């Protein structure tokens, strides 16, 4: 087996780990590429378990990256959301688990320390044992267990229960929300929203977006109605969109006002929308194709 073939067996796992550590598709790709270079240069005699070795390399690279990433986010303009993982809605019923990284979970992970995040992901998400994790984090097994427990407690408090929907339901929700949110009358949209719905919007200071969260069905519906009315007054409309799954959630990619690429994800629970995640920062959408292309 060649070095390349051996590495490719673990590439998907490494990309999933790096994305969940960093919340960035591009940064995760860079980390995996760096891991390949280290794998290529490593002595084979030092590697008894390739998966564990590569996980250790990626984890440590991510921890180094997170030091600078956290510093950048302290000065981030507006709400921060992870880069969207987008899967087209096709005929397959089982979503790619590489793309199933719920945004609520990613936001909860952001509130953990880097070591807590690593211990939780490696153990609870990727089923690695604490002996391996201790070697990766250069901590005792007991310390790693405590890190994972603290992280688990925070995640449990911050992450709402999920209701998975079929691909047909996902497409219907995406279409209904798209149409209702682009009308000047808020009535139709209000029917789709839970009373405690929250709107998150990430423009990163690069494009227009809501700086703060908007809470409540009435305020959220009226916000979209005002926006639609303003665009109508300017004779600008949005008609180009494509229903997709975003981090495992129903949603769509659209070209708003004919020029601004946007990814919108919907957290659906009990038939109503409880959270709306809108990513407009162009730096986070470079890996996406425009709808219809």
């Amino acid at each position: 087996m060649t070095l390349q073939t051996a590495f490719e067996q673990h590439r998907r796992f490494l990309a999933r780990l790096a994305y969940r550590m960093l919340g960035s598709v591009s940064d995760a790709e860079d980390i995996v590429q760096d891991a390949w270079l280290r794998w290529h240069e490593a002595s084979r005699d030092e590697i008894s378990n390739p998966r564990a070795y590569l996980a250790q390399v990626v984890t440590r690279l991510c921890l180094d990256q997170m030091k600078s990433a956290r510093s950048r986010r302290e000065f981030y303009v507006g709400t921060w959301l992870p880069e969207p993982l987008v899967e087209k809605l096709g005929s397959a019923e089982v979503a790619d688990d590489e793309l199933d990284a719920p945004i609520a979970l990613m936001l909860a992970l952001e509130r953990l320390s880097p070591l807590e995040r690593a211990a939780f992901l490696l153990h609870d998400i990727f089923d690695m044992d604490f002996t391996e994790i201790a070697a990766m984090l250069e901590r005792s097994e007991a310390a790693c267990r405590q890190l994972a427990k603290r992280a688990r407690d925070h995640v449990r408090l911050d992450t709402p229960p999920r209701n998975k929907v079929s691909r047909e339901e996902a497409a219907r929700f995406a279409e209904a929300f798209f149409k209702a949110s682009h009308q000047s009358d808020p009535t139709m949209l209000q029917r789709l929203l839970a009373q405690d719905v929250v709107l998150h919007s990430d423009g990163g200071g690069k494009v227009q977006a809501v700086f703060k969260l908007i809470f409540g069905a009435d305020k959220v519906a009226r916000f979209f109605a005002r926006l639609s009315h303003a665009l109508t007054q300017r004779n600008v409309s949005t008609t180009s969109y494509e229903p997709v799954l975003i981090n495992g959630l129903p949603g769509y990619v659209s070209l708003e006002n004919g020029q601004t690429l946007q990814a919108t994800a919907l957290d659906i629970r009990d038939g109503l929308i409880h959270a709306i995640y809108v990513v407009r920062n162009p730096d986070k959408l470079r890996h996406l194709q425009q709808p219809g292309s």
Side-chain angles (χ1 to χ4, degrees), residues 205-243:
K206 305 294 180 68
V207 297
Q208 192 170 23
V210 181
F211 280 4
K212 297 183 179 180
L213 305 183
I214 299 179
F215 297 89
D218 182 66
K219 289 183 178 180
V220 170
R222 291 184 181 280
F223 165 78
F224 280 104
R226 288 195 301 271
L227 181 61
S228 180
H229 178 73
L231 294 175
T232 300
Q233 294 293 101
R234 291 163 46 197
N235 198 30
V236 176
S237 64
T238 298
T239 57
S240 181
Y241 82 104
E242 180 180 3

Side-chain angles (χ1 to χ4, degrees), residues 66-171:
M66 289 172 74
K67 294 176 184 177
S68 60
R70 282 180 177 267
S71 175
R72 291 196 305 271
R73 285 173 198 167
E74 287 180 3
F75 302 98
Y76 196 81
V77 178
T79 301
W80 179 91
L81 291 173
E83 290 185 18
L85 291 174
V86 174
E87 180 183 16
K88 292 190 176 182
L89 287 170
S91 57
E93 279 299 320
V94 179
D96 186 343
D97 62 0
E98 183 176 354
L99 301 166
D100 190 8
I103 298 173
L105 172 61
M106 298 297 293
L107 292 177
L109 292 175
E110 276 296 299
R111 291 187 278 274
L112 304 178
S113 73
L115 288 176
E116 287 173 341
R117 186 167 184 161
F120 172 79
L121 287 171
L122 291 167
H123 183 265
D124 287 44
I125 304 299
F126 295 105
D127 298 319
M128 302 193 79
D129 63 50
F130 282 112
T131 302
E132 294 175 308
I133 296 170
M136 293 178 196
L137 302 185
E138 299 180 324
R139 299 291 190 279
S140 68
E141 287 188 43
C144 290
R145 289 180 187 276
Q146 188 61 32
L147 286 168
K149 181 183 181 304
R150 287 203 302 267
R152 197 177 301 121
D153 290 342
H154 283 297
V155 168
R156 188 181 299 118
L157 290 173
D158 293 342
T159 307
R162 292 185 63 206
N163 288 345
K164 288 207 172 187
V165 300
S166 69
R167 289 170 181 259
E168 291 77 12
E169 289 177 298

Side-chain angles (χ1 to χ4, degrees), residues 12-49:
R12 180 167 159 170
F13 156 66
L14 299 174
R16 292 172 62 209
L17 173 59
Y19 173 77
R20 285 156 180 77
M21 285 286 289
L22 302 174
S24 167
V25 176
S26 55
D27 286 347
E29 291 172 348
D30 290 343
I31 290 291
V32 172
Q33 185 58 33
D34 286 346
W36 155 249
L37 295 175
R38 299 192 182 205
W39 167 257
H40 187 267
E41 296 168 357
S43 169
R44 301 301 105 187
D45 296 335
E46 299 174 0
I47 303 173
S48 59
N49 184 333

Side-chain angles (χ1 to χ4, degrees), residues 271-289:
L272 294 172
I273 300 169
H274 284 255
I276 305 161
Y277 304 100
V278 178
V279 178
R280 295 170 59 84
N281 185 342
D283 293 343
K284 297 184 177 183
L285 303 175
R286 292 172 179 169
H287 61 293
L288 301 185
Q289 292 182 333

